[in-house]
Structures are given as C-alpha cells and as structure tokens.
Amino acid sequence: MELSATARVVLGMLAAGPKSGYEIKAIVDRSTRFFWAASYGQIYPELRRLAAAGLIAEAEAADGPRRRRRHRLTARGRHALASWLRDADELHELRDEALLKLFFAGHLDRADAIGVLERKRTAHADAARHLREEIEPLAASVERYGPHAALRFGVAFNEFAAEWCERELAELRNGRSNAAFAAKEG
Amino acid sequence: MELSATARVVLGMLAAGPKSGYEIKAIVDRSTRFFWAASYGQIYPELRRLAAAGLIAEAEAADGPRRRRRHRLTARGRHALASWLRDADELHELRDEALLKLFFAGHLDRADAIGVLERKRTAHADAARHLREEIEPLAASVERYGPHAALRFGVAFNEFAAEWCERELAELRNGRSNAAFAAKEG
DNA sequence: TCGCGCATGTAACAGGTTACATGATTGG
DNA sequence: CCAATCATGTAACCTGTTACATGCGCGA
C-alpha cells in the first residue's frame, strides 16, 4: 500500500483524532507547512481515495451546528501510517531558490553577490523568528513528541543557516578571499 | 519576463559558456541537483522556449564529430539572468520526508521513533560525505565563487543536521525528557 | 561487432496549485 | 445586515518525472 505524499500528511494528522478536510488544512498550515504543504485541491480528493481504500472512515458527527465531515483512521489506516513511519527509504528534497542564486552569484559583481547572501540570511532569520514567535506558542498545548521535535529542528536549522550566511558575508566583505566575481556592470 | 524554474538553472549554466542540453543535465546532476534538479523532459522543451523568447541562441558548432546542439546566452538572456539574480523575492521550500516522519513520531513507540531519527541522521551524514568526497573534487577546477559557496553550504547544512539528530537521539535515549510516545505495539 | 555512453527528443502520466463556485454561520 | 470565516468541493492549468524512441561514435 503505497501512500501518496498527501496521504501521508492526512493520515498522520488523523492519528491525533478525527478531523475535517478544513481542519487538516488549517493544522498543516501552521505546523508542517514549511517542509510539507498541502492544498484543498489535494486534501479533499485524497480523503475520498483513502476512504475508498478503507484507510479512513467517517467519524460520527457529535459537533456544533456547522456542516462538517470529520474523518477518522480505521485499523488499516493506523497500520498503514505506522508501516510508512517505520519504513526506511525516505526522500529529502530541498528546493532553495536562494541557494541557486548563490550558485550563480559569481556572475554578479561583488556588491550584488553580497545582496544575494544578505537576502538569504534575512529570510532564514525571519523564518526562525516566525517559528519561535508565531508557531511555538501554538505547539505549547501539544503533548506528543513529534511536533515539538520538528519545530525545534526548524528553528535550529534556520538559525544555523542565518549564521552561515553571516559568516560568509564577513568573508566576502573583508575581501580577503580570492573568489572570482563578474566585473561591475557599466 | 518571468523565468520558469527550469529556465533559471538553464540560463545560469549557460552563463559560464555555451552548452548542450545534455551537458546542462550532466552539470546539474553533479552540482545543483541537491537543491535544484532538472530532467531532460524539462530541459529540452525549455531550451526551445528560451530560444523562441530570444534569451538564448545557437552557438556555432566548432566541435567534434558528434551531433550536438550547443546554446549560448544572448544579451537579453544575460540581462534576464542578472535581473532574476538581483530580484528580491525568492522562495525557500524544503520538502523533507524524514522531518514529516519526525513530526508524527509520537505515534510510534520510543524505539521506533529513535529509528526515524537514526535514519535521518544517517541520510544527512551520507549526503555530507558524498558532497565532500564525490562533488568537491569536481568543483576544484571551477574558479567562480558560486559553486564553491553553494557546496560549502551543502556540506555545512548536512553536518549540522546530522549533529542535531545526534543530540536529539542522546536526549531520547537517556529518556530524561518527558516526551510522549505511543505504547509499544503488542 | 557489440555494448555502452553520448545525444536529442517526445508522450503519457502523476502531482500539485490556483481560482472559482457554493453556501452556512457568526460576530459586530 | 454585512463581512469574515467556516466549510466543501471542482476544473483548469502548470510542472515535472518516467519511460520510451531513435541513432551515432567509440573502445574492447
């Protein structure tokens, strides 16, 4: 039973309790979003597929006045999730446009190359601050290990990356390195 | 002139000199691949589009017996590349399946959660070693700043991530944290 | 001469985003 | 009563991967 990318995050979210598609999207947006996003256009069709495959089922309503379709894991769904989590081959994929710009920064003059690095540093610093200030408070009520660990990684990674950029900037600014750049554009 | 994802890497590669689609692919595979990949199915059609848009042109042959279509940047292409590089809003997107597993690791028992972290640590350590041993030697002949900087970042990032996992593992193993896990499956 | 790597391309598919359509409920 | 937000869904579009088709040149 191969789980699609969206199925993984949907099943994982449902493991913590029954949720609607809307709720799943909201939780993803303020938790896994920075390393695993999902849109309505994926979530709703995926819920259908998972139901058809017997991995999730409709949870009885027992809620307020709003129309809402909550889903829960079935035993098979719980098993599929656990076996994916224990499975060994995962892909780590990083798509970082700032890093691509850095790769080509030698085609800019030194001042513009410094700009590329400064923006990368700022983006990482902003991300770290956002996770600490906006996201961490939301995680305070969560008891399970996972969300806290992932959040700590997110903060640590972004702080690391911002510092790396800062060190690199210091090297570039003092100009002691013999790195090659393009001539200033006239 | 909005450049597609593939256009960015293609123009960037051509900035260092005329290349064929095949050569671009080969260079991407041993340099930017870990943060910006591209397949033939993107590269060849993109070369056509860029030619139609006047950003690249056919470079005169002047080479061996093999059939080969080399492309070079036009003045407009060089300008489009530089203006993208200087442009401020880039996206950093991280899609890390191991991190998603970590996020849900609280639904495993402690031993399996440790397995998730160990695999993430190993993957980062392997990536760092691969970059240092396989990729760095290839970059030795390159004079421009960018490829070296991006490579240093790749090594530093993966070493950081491996160490982070190691520290996290130590915490989990000594069991002093009060993180919540699922009960052992019977 | 046989197989591998060079080299160019396409078609089919899978995955994902955006924009839109629709309507209910709640708070100001 | 109006706007925002809750809530579900679909269709069109865009991107990207995989697999395939084709053929040449080079070394064993």
Side-chain angles (χ1 to χ4, degrees):
Chain A
M1 178 67 61
E2 194 67 9
L3 299 177
S4 76
T6 306
R8 288 162 202 183
V9 73
V10 166
L11 289 184
M13 290 302 174
L14 292 183
K19 278 164 197 64
S20 67
Y22 189 85
E23 290 172 309
I24 291 171
K25 172 78 161 85
I27 294 173
V28 164
D29 279 350
R30 48 191 161 72
S31 59
T32 69
R33 183 195 181 173
F34 302 103
F35 54 91
W36 206 274
S39 68
Y40 290 130
Q42 297 168 258
I43 291 172
Y44 284 114
E46 189 62 45
L47 285 169
R48 293 210 161 193
R49 279 191 289 269
L50 289 170
L55 302 188
I56 64 175
E58 193 129 358
E60 51 282 22
D63 53 3
R66 280 183 186 281
R67 163 198 184 210
R68 176 152 46 176
R69 199 191 299 285
R70 282 228 174 85
H71 311 265
R72 61 175 175 81
L73 287 191
T74 62
R76 289 187 54 212
R78 201 165 289 277
H79 182 261
L81 174 65
S83 93
W84 166 66
L85 284 173
R86 281 193 286 253
D87 181 41
D89 46 83
E90 50 260 334
L91 43 83
H92 331 70
E93 192 181 318
L94 176 69
R95 194 170 178 101
D96 185 339
E97 189 175 352
L99 201 45
L100 188 66
K101 288 188 182 183
L102 183 61
F103 188 89
F104 295 132
H107 298 297
L108 295 171
D109 60 52
R110 185 178 292 257
D112 282 334
I114 284 174
V116 167
L117 261 171
E118 282 173 341
R119 293 199 307 273
K120 183 170 170 62
R121 178 206 53 195
T122 303
H124 284 299
D126 288 353
R129 186 157 21 79
H130 178 255
L131 289 176
R132 263 190 278 101
E133 293 176 10
E134 246 74 50
I135 305 298
E136 207 184 320
L138 300 172
S141 61
V142 175
E143 233 135 277
R144 263 164 306 105
Y145 167 71
H148 293 284
L151 179 59
R152 279 201 307 274
F153 182 86
V155 171
F157 160 63
N158 281 295
E159 285 175 349
F160 154 80
E163 282 159 26
W164 185 91
C165 291
E166 196 55 54
R167 285 194 297 275
E168 193 69 19
L169 278 164
E171 288 284 310
L172 277 190
R173 288 209 189 93
N174 78 26
R176 249 178 293 138
S177 79
N178 53 358
F181 290 96
K184 196 166 274 169
E185 262 186 36
Chain B
M1 176 68 60
E2 193 68 7
L3 298 178
S4 77
T6 306
R8 288 161 202 184
V9 73
V10 166
L11 289 185
M13 290 301 174
L14 292 183
K19 278 166 197 62
S20 68
Y22 190 86
E23 289 172 311
I24 291 172
K25 172 78 162 85
I27 294 173
V28 164
D29 279 350
R30 48 191 161 72
S31 59
T32 71
R33 184 196 180 171
F34 302 103
F35 55 91
W36 206 274
S39 68
Y40 290 130
Q42 296 168 258
I43 291 172
Y44 285 115
E46 190 61 46
L47 285 169
R48 292 210 162 191
R49 278 190 291 270
L50 289 171
L55 302 187
I56 64 175
E58 194 129 358
E60 51 281 23
D63 53 4
R66 281 186 185 278
R67 164 198 183 211
R68 178 153 43 178
R69 198 191 299 285
R70 283 229 174 84
H71 312 265
R72 60 174 176 80
L73 287 190
T74 62
R76 289 187 53 212
R78 201 165 288 276
H79 182 260
L81 174 67
S83 93
W84 165 66
L85 285 173
R86 281 193 286 253
D87 180 43
D89 46 84
E90 49 260 335
L91 42 82
H92 332 70
E93 190 182 320
L94 177 68
R95 194 168 178 101
D96 184 341
E97 189 174 353
L99 200 45
L100 188 66
K101 288 189 181 182
L102 183 61
F103 188 89
F104 295 133
H107 299 296
L108 295 171
D109 61 50
R110 185 178 293 258
D112 282 335
I114 284 174
V116 168
L117 262 170
E118 283 172 341
R119 292 200 307 274
K120 183 170 169 63
R121 178 207 51 194
T122 303
H124 285 299
D126 287 352
R129 185 157 21 80
H130 178 254
L131 290 175
R132 260 190 281 102
E133 294 176 9
E134 247 74 50
I135 306 299
E136 206 185 321
L138 300 173
S141 62
V142 176
E143 234 137 276
R144 264 164 306 106
Y145 167 72
H148 293 284
L151 179 59
R152 280 201 307 273
F153 182 86
V155 170
F157 160 63
N158 280 296
E159 284 175 349
F160 154 80
E163 282 159 25
W164 186 91
C165 292
E166 198 54 56
R167 285 194 298 274
E168 193 69 19
L169 278 165
E171 287 283 311
L172 276 190
R173 287 208 189 95
N174 76 28
R176 251 178 291 139
S177 79
N178 53 358
F181 290 96
K184 198 167 274 169
E185 264 186 32

